[in-house]
Amino acid sequence: MSDPVTNPPTSEIGLIGLAVMGENLALNIERNGFPISVFNRTTSKVDEFMNGPAKGKKVMGAHTVPEFVASLKRPRKMIIMVKAGKPVDETIQQLLPHLEKGDIVIDGGNSLFTDTERRYEELEAKGFRFMGAGVSGGEEGALWGPSLMPGGSKPGYDEVGHVLRKISAKVDSKDCCSYIGKGGAGHYVKMVHNGIEYGDMQLICEAYNILRHGSGLSVKRLEKTFAAWNKGDLDSFLIEITSKILGVKDRVTGKPMVDVIQDRAGQKGTGKWTIFSALDQGIPTSTISEAVFARCISAMKEERVEASQLIKEPVAKFKKNKKMMIQAVQDSLYASKICSYAQGFALMRAASQEKDWNLDFGTIAMIWRGGCIIRARFLQRIKDAFDRNPNLSNLLIDPYFKDIIERTQHNWRMVISQAALAGIPVPAFSASLAYFDSYRSARLPANLLQAQRDYFGAHTYERVDQPAGKFFHFDWVGDRKEREV
C-alpha cells in the first residue's frame, strides 16, 4: 500500500543512487523534458546535487523513501543506480512497502543477469513490473546519451520506453535503445557487451605493444597510427581514445602519460561473468577469456619483475620494416576483433535459445553503434550480416567477414609468429587465431582425447562410421574388444 500523498506527484520518473553515473543520468532525463525525483541513502548527497548540478532544474530531491515514492506520477517509474549485488536487493526492499501493483522498478546497474532473473520473478509475482537495463557509455554516455539494453517486464517497457529511448544515444537519428527480452536478457546482453569490451581493449593493447616494443615505433608515431586507423575499418571509440591517450604527456616528468601509468590492470567482474556463462553454455570465448586472464597476470607485478630478472628473454627481433609492420598489425587487429565479436554473438545466441529470449542480434548491433564503449563503424557490418541471414550461427561464415579473414590471415599469422619469436606476449591475438583455426577445421584431435577418456575412465566414444549419438567402449587393457554402450 502506498503512502498518502500530501502534495500532487510531479515527477515522471525517479532515480535512486547519486554517484556520478546516477547524477549524470538524472540530468540527462531532466534535460530531455522529464521532471525527475532523486534519492540517495546518504541524504547529504541529495542536497549537494540539488544545490549544485540540479539547481534550477525540474528535479525534486527527496530525503526519505516515502517522500521519493509519493512524488512520482502513477504508475510510478524508478531507476535504481546503486552498486550491484546486495545494495540492489536492499534498495528494492526499502521501496516495496510504499509501492502499488503495476509500479515499475528498473535496475540500471551492472547486475549479474541471474540476480536480475530472480528479482524479476519475485517482483512480478507480487504484481510489480521489474526491469533490468544495461547502461553503457560511462559518465559521458549517461549524461549525453548512453546505449541502453532494457529487459524484463515488456508491459513495463511499454510504459517507460519513451523515456529510455529519448535519453539514449542516437546514430543516424535512430535510438540506441530497444527492448531486449524477458527476465535477465537486458543485463545478459550488457554482460556480453562488457566481455567483448575486455577483448577489444586487450587486442588494442597488444597491437600497441607489438609496434612499440617489437618494431620500435615512438609514442608520437603510434598516436598518428591509431588516429589513421580510426579513419578506416577500425573506426571506433576505443581506437579514438587510444590515439588521444598516446598524445598526452605527464606534466611532472614530461614523459608520455602512458609511460608513467603502472602496468597493473583492474576489473569489476563482468568479463569474468562472461567466461562463466560461456563455460555453462559450452561456447568457446577464448579471446575474451585471455583478455580477462591478461588483466589477472598484469596484477602479478612483483612476481613479473622478479621473473624478468631471472629468466633470459629471446634474442630474436622483428624483421619487417615499420611501414609493413603497421599494416600487418592493423590486419591482425581487425581479424582478431572479428573473432572476439563472433564469440560474443555466438554466446548470446546460445543463451537466447536456452532462455527463449528471442534476441534480435541485428538490433543489438545497432544499439551498440552509439553511446557504449564498444561503439564502432564495424557494428553496421554485423547488422548487415544478420540482415542477410537472421539465423547466422557464426560471424566467421558471413561472406563479408570470411573475405576479410581470408585477406588478412597471412599478416595475422606473421605478426603472431614474430611476436612469439621475440618474446612479446600476445594472448588475445593468439587465442583469436586458434579460435579461427579450430572453427574452420573439419577434424580436430579430440578423437585422441576421447580415446584417452575412454581408456582411463570408460567415458565411451562415437565412431565415424556409425550414426551420431551411438556410443562405444573399448577394453584397452583386457580383451581388446569393442562394445556398444
Side-chain angles (χ1 to χ4, degrees), residues 201 204-205 208 212 219-220 222-224 226-227 237-250 255-261 373:
M201 294 174 73
I204 291 169
C205 290
Y208 154 82
R212 182 150 193 214
V219 173
K220 188 66 178 177
L222 280 169
E223 176 195 356
K224 294 179 179 178
F226 278 93
F237 173 70
L238 287 170
I239 293 289
E240 177 189 353
I241 67 168
T242 299
S243 172
K244 291 179 177 178
I245 288 167
L246 293 171
V248 176
K249 291 187 177 181
D250 176 39
K255 296 178 180 179
M257 194 69 201
V258 72
D259 285 348
V260 300
I261 296 174
I373 304 302

Side-chain angles (χ1 to χ4, degrees), residues 147-452:
S147 171
L148 295 174
M149 293 149 264
S153 171
K154 181 61 166 62
Y157 178 76
D158 292 341
E159 285 277 1
V160 75
H162 67 289
V163 178
L164 301 180
R165 292 189 295 272
K166 187 74 179 291
I167 68 169
S168 70
K170 306 290 184 285
V171 174
D172 299 329
S173 300
K174 294 181 179 179
D175 303 319
C176 293
C177 171
S178 182
Y179 178 73
I180 300 298
K182 64 183 180 181
H187 274 142
Y188 190 90
V189 169
K190 175 58 164 59
M191 177 193 75
V192 176
H193 163 282
N194 284 24
I196 293 172
E197 178 186 315
Y198 272 62
D200 253 359
M201 294 174 73
Q202 178 63 26
L203 290 169
I204 291 169
C205 290
E206 290 178 19
Y208 154 82
N209 202 29
I210 291 167
L211 291 175
R212 182 150 193 214
H213 299 111
S215 295
L217 268 65
S218 67
V219 173
K220 188 66 178 177
R221 186 166 181 184
L222 280 169
E223 176 195 356
K224 294 179 179 178
T225 297
F226 278 93
W229 286 355
N230 198 48
K231 296 177 182 176
D233 288 333
L234 288 172
D235 171 18
S236 67
F237 173 70
L238 287 170
I239 293 289
E240 177 189 353
I241 67 168
T242 299
S243 172
K244 291 179 177 178
I245 288 167
L246 293 171
V248 176
K249 291 187 177 181
D250 176 39
R251 292 182 178 181
V252 177
T253 64
K255 296 178 180 179
M257 194 69 201
V258 72
D259 285 348
V260 300
I261 296 174
Q262 185 64 275
D263 62 327
R264 184 160 33 212
Q267 54 183 308
K268 291 188 176 180
T270 46
K272 180 175 65 176
W273 294 347
T274 306
I275 298 172
F276 289 167
S277 179
L279 291 170
D280 289 339
Q281 297 289 341
I283 299 297
T285 55
S286 45
T287 307
I288 296 169
S289 300
E290 286 300 333
V292 174
F293 291 134
R295 295 195 188 192
C296 294
I297 203 166
S298 78
M300 300 164 58
K301 177 66 175 179
E302 291 74 18
E303 287 186 53
R304 291 189 289 112
V305 170
E306 182 180 1
S308 71
Q309 297 167 351
L310 298 173
I311 303 171
K312 292 183 179 179
E313 64 180 18
V315 296
K317 301 296 179 185
F318 278 71
K319 298 177 182 179
K320 297 282 182 180
N321 66 49
K322 293 180 180 180
K323 187 175 181 180
M324 290 176 63
M325 204 64 199
I326 288 171
Q327 181 60 55
V329 172
Q330 181 180 357
D331 286 347
S332 303
L333 180 55
Y334 198 22
S336 297
K337 182 184 179 79
I338 292 170
C339 289
S340 182
Y341 280 72
Q343 293 162 27
F345 275 85
L347 177 57
M348 288 190 291
R349 181 173 181 265
S352 181
Q353 291 173 344
E354 181 192 2
K355 301 283 188 180
D356 192 29
W357 284 337
N358 195 30
L359 297 182
D360 185 330
F361 303 114
T363 295
I364 290 169
M366 295 311 291
I367 288 172
W368 292 349
R369 277 286 312 276
C372 70
I373 304 302
I374 64 171
R375 59 185 183 265
R377 178 192 302 185
F378 169 86
L379 286 157
Q380 180 62 54
R381 300 296 190 180
I382 295 178
K383 171 67 162 60
D384 295 341
F386 284 106
D387 284 347
R388 284 189 288 272
N389 180 7
N391 297 315
L392 183 67
S393 59
N394 194 294
L395 290 175
L396 292 176
I397 59 175
D398 174 75
Y400 176 81
F401 293 112
K402 182 177 72 70
D403 289 347
I404 290 174
I405 294 288
E406 290 175 351
R407 172 175 59 81
T408 59
Q409 68 170 299
H410 174 76
N411 276 343
W412 194 16
R413 296 179 190 281
M414 181 272 292
V415 165
I416 292 171
S417 62
Q418 288 214 18
L421 290 171
I424 294 176
V426 285
F429 271 28
S430 300
S432 300
L433 180 59
Y435 174 80
F436 167 71
D437 281 335
S438 296
Y439 190 75
R440 64 164 189 81
S441 295
R443 190 163 173 83
L444 293 169
N447 54 325
L448 175 58
L449 190 149
Q450 278 302 104
Q452 292 170 336

Side-chain angles (χ1 to χ4, degrees), residues 103-120:
D103 286 347
I104 302 161
V105 179
I106 305 168
D107 175 13
N110 260 341
S111 288
L112 180 60
F113 78 97
T114 50
D115 286 342
T116 302
E117 298 219 302
R118 168 179 56 80
R119 294 166 186 144
Y120 170 75

